[in-house]
Amino acid sequence: MTSSRPYLLRALYEWIVDNGATPQILVDATADALEIPASVRSGDKVVLNIAPEAVRDLEIDDGFVSFVARFSGVSHGVVVPIDAVLAVYTRENGQGMMFPESGPAGPAADSGDAPPPGPRPVRGADPGGDGSGADEGDSGRDDGPDDDPDSPGGSGRGKPNLKVVK
């Protein structure tokens, strides 16, 4: 069977947008076919804002997530392999789904002993721990104070956290 990841990603993206929240994806920044600006890579994971207000030409197909976004005021094409998407969740409350870190899906990737583990629902916690949440209209890193509840002039809402719920 083909991977369920692109289907779940499309469904959760639609659900998040329909509920007026900001969809974000956690991406494995070490993936070979990943095309993002070098300035966005700050570790082995990166968070990208894929809200309709933040990106243009969003396409989630069976192999890649692609879109055009502005990073530090400059438009860039972004290509993310589906297998590099580790989670999709809302910026506001962290609700979404975390996917298992795995290679390609399908019969070639299956050892024949047991099916690979399925996606795990998540709620709450910063999945990457790198603090690279994206801001409205900008899919790049957000180093600004708006999300820090302790900073002067901050909104006090804090960053959402992803937490695995079993």
Side-chain angles (χ1 to χ4, degrees), residues 13 50-52 54-60 65-69 77-78:
Y13 171 84
I50 58 170
V55 302
R56 286 185 295 121
D57 305 325
L58 177 66
E59 186 175 331
I60 303 172
V65 176
S66 61
F67 54 90
V68 176
V78 174

Side-chain angles (χ1 to χ4, degrees), residues 16-35:
I16 292 168
V17 170
D18 285 352
N19 281 280
T22 307
Q24 294 184 314
I25 55 175
L26 175 66
V27 175
D28 176 0
T30 64
D32 292 333
L34 179 65
E35 295 179 23

